[in-house]
Amino acid sequence: MAAGAPRVFVSHLAGIPVFDPNGDQVGRVRDLVAMLRVGGRPPRLLGLVVEVLSRRRIFLPMTRVTGIESGQVITTGVVNMRRFEQRPTERLVLGEFLDRRVRLVETGEEVTVLDVSIQQLPARRDWEIDKYFVRKGKGGALRRKGETLTVEWSAVSGFSLEEVGQGAETLVATFERLRPTDVANALHHLSPKRRAEVAAALDDDRLADVLEELPEDDQVEIIGKLQEERAADVLEAMDPDDAADLLSELPEEDKERLLTLMRPDDAADVRRLMSYEERTAGGLMTTEPIILRPDATVADALARVRQADLSPALAAQVYVCRSPDETPTGKYLGTVHFQRLLRDPPYALVSSIVDSDLVPLAPDTPLPAVTSYLAAYNLVSVPVVDESGSLLGAVTVDDVLDHLLPEDWRETDFHGAEGVADGR
């Protein structure tokens, strides 16, 4: 929902159909999942509980929702069909917010929540609860006689987390303000028990981002304490190269069991990466760079580069390949750098501005040669191509640095994390 669009009241979402991009019905909305936050911040909406045709209830992240309008929800991408299980930091909006007795902050008067509205943040994919529709007076049979009014989320008390104690909910809500690297640094210094509690309370995407920044021992410890289906979900949310590195540290039987639980496409990418030697281009690369066909335009390329979940290194260039446009691709044609995209008109074809002079790396290229290549040509990412000319992936400078730094570099404190802790 674009900024400025009418807010959506959750009671209007109950039971409405959910459709995939092809127009096929996935299921119906049965509830919404929110996370309370500290510091007077409005609850964040994580996703929808959708009942699919088999009557199984699954979780649909709000990042997969492209539209809520005309009595329907439109989703994009592959829907995870695993059964929804509520986590400690999560609240069901319909099931736990409605009919709840809370107090107006200004007067202390007790009111009943009749409805909740949600709104998408401007220029972002995040959603928040922004208002409550409440009724004054006592609950029960007499509640219909009271005055109704719509108030800001900050005008009522009884929902927000308190910034006291050591519950995992408060700690997770506090961590939400930090970058994944800083959360990983804080998590590393917790006791194993507290580390497991916090990991269990983080949502899949957040935990995946944090795991990628943790030392290998911590990664193995945390993934080993998760339920296997949850562990598979988190591995799917990680970058394939990071998931492959983590799985390679597990016993063979655990590794195979988790790969079996993962979605076939995700598992196939990880298995392919694990087939290469660790300190080679194939072992370092990610299988998810930006790939475009020759008939794509500069406008298409810039739209892909703008995706918020891309790292700066991956967003620095696009790779032009013939179909298929997922790795391993058709014939690799060359690279278009971000600066070149900014200099050419939006309607220009990427095939007309492609840089084909630089020779791509073979998957068995050793780490020192990869490092020299990046340094010699002042690049932040380099394509990896097999002997048939298909693009297999791309090695980014952050992955190279990860293997050049001392093994224990993640276990040291960062000045940035200290600055956050000090309030700077």
Side-chain angles (χ1 to χ4, degrees):
M1 184 171 61
R7 66 178 53 89
V8 179
F9 281 92
V10 298
S11 62
H12 299 162
L13 299 180
I16 68 171
V18 178
F19 294 93
D20 66 16
N22 297 323
D24 297 325
Q25 184 171 340
V26 175
R28 291 187 176 275
V29 176
R30 294 306 181 202
D31 215 319
L32 298 88
V33 183
M35 182 179 71
L36 302 181
R37 302 195 284 191
V38 298
R41 305 174 68 197
R44 176 187 171 204
L45 193 66
L46 300 178
L48 309 175
V49 180
V50 176
E51 186 176 273
V52 296
L53 300 182
S54 63
R55 302 190 67 82
R56 175 191 295 265
R57 295 197 173 193
I58 65 171
F59 177 71
L60 177 64
M62 292 306 295
T63 53
R64 295 288 179 89
V65 174
T66 59
I68 300 178
E69 54 190 19
S70 304
Q72 62 185 17
V73 173
I74 307 298
T75 182
T76 183
V78 178
V79 176
N80 191 326
M81 298 302 289
R82 294 201 178 96
R83 190 179 303 277
F84 166 72
E85 292 185 10
Q86 187 177 356
R87 293 175 186 155
T89 54
E90 297 173 349
R91 299 291 182 268
L92 297 177
V93 179
L94 295 175
E96 300 180 47
F97 279 33
L98 304 192
D99 288 322
R100 182 167 176 166
R101 301 289 290 171
V102 295
R103 292 188 181 275
L104 297 177
V105 173
E106 185 175 347
T107 64
E109 183 178 1
E110 196 172 42
V111 295
T112 302
V113 178
L114 303 181
D115 211 343
V116 175
S117 73
I118 60 175
Q119 187 171 19
Q120 189 175 21
L121 299 181
R124 294 175 62 185
R125 303 175 72 182
D126 289 342
W127 293 69
E128 291 180 344
I129 290 175
D130 69 329
K131 293 182 183 292
Y132 300 120
F133 180 58
V134 302
R135 188 186 302 276
K136 293 184 177 181
K138 297 181 179 180
L142 299 178
R143 69 179 184 271
R144 293 183 179 277
K145 296 183 180 180
E147 174 191 357
T148 59
L149 64 159
T150 301
V151 297
E152 298 290 337
W153 58 267
S154 57
V156 301
S157 63
F159 283 109
S160 299
L161 296 174
E162 298 294 332
E163 293 191 56
V164 296
Q166 276 215 308
E169 294 182 3
T170 300
L171 199 53
V172 168
T174 302
F175 283 168
E176 186 186 6
R177 306 170 184 174
L178 304 181
R179 293 176 179 269
T181 297
D182 298 328
V183 177
N185 191 39
L187 208 60
H188 174 71
H189 292 91
L190 295 176
S191 68
K193 178 178 180 295
R194 292 292 293 151
R195 192 155 49 234
E197 290 171 349
V198 173
L202 292 169
D203 63 63
D204 291 348
D205 290 337
R206 182 67 161 167
L207 180 54
D209 290 340
V210 171
L211 277 177
E212 292 172 1
E213 305 297 334
L214 279 169
E216 290 178 350
D217 289 347
D218 289 343
Q219 292 181 346
V220 172
E221 173 196 302
I222 289 173
I223 209 76
K225 291 182 178 179
L226 299 177
Q227 293 184 352
E228 287 187 342
E229 287 197 350
R230 171 94 199 279
D233 289 342
V234 173
L235 287 166
E236 290 170 356
M238 294 176 69
D239 288 339
D241 53 327
D242 291 307
D245 290 343
L246 172 51
L247 283 169
S248 66
E249 298 297 319
L250 300 180
E252 191 65 29
E253 59 183 30
D254 294 342
K255 175 171 61 181
E256 283 302 318
R257 191 159 54 246
L258 289 172
L259 283 167
T260 302
L261 288 172
M262 292 173 66
R263 288 193 295 261
D265 288 349
D266 291 323
D269 284 343
V270 173
R271 288 183 188 278
R272 181 151 50 90
L273 288 169
M274 293 172 65
S275 68
Y276 299 109
E277 292 292 332
E278 181 181 3
R279 298 173 70 83
T280 64
L284 295 169
M285 70 182 179
T286 176
T287 57
E288 298 178 343
I290 303 176
I291 300 170
L292 293 172
R293 297 182 185 181
D295 58 353
T297 64
V298 166
D300 296 328
L302 289 173
R304 294 286 300 278
V305 167
R306 288 191 190 101
Q307 292 179 2
D309 54 351
L310 282 175
S311 69
L314 283 179
Q317 59 278 301
V318 300
Y319 300 100
V320 183
C321 306
R322 299 200 183 279
S323 181
D325 48 7
E326 292 184 357
T327 57
T329 67
K331 182 177 176 56
Y332 167 72
L333 301 178
T335 302
V336 181
H337 300 281
F338 177 60
Q339 277 190 323
R340 182 63 191 268
L341 292 173
L342 295 177
R343 294 199 300 264
D344 282 81
Y347 54 80
L349 297 181
V350 292
S351 57
S352 68
I353 58 173
V354 69
D355 181 356
S356 57
D357 292 339
L358 292 178
V359 178
L361 299 180
D364 58 355
T365 304
L367 175 60
V370 176
T371 306
S372 299
Y373 189 101
L374 289 169
Y377 295 106
N378 297 317
L379 299 173
V380 294
S381 180
V382 56
V384 180
V385 173
D386 66 13
E387 57 186 11
S388 68
S390 298
L391 180 70
L392 300 176
V395 178
T396 56
V397 67
D398 54 312
D399 287 321
V400 171
L401 285 173
D402 198 12
H403 285 75
L404 292 178
L405 290 168
E407 290 187 2
D408 63 348
W409 75 270
R410 292 187 184 277
E411 301 181 33
T412 59
D413 287 330
F414 301 108
H415 293 296
E418 293 169 357
V420 172
D422 293 339
R424 293 195 296 271

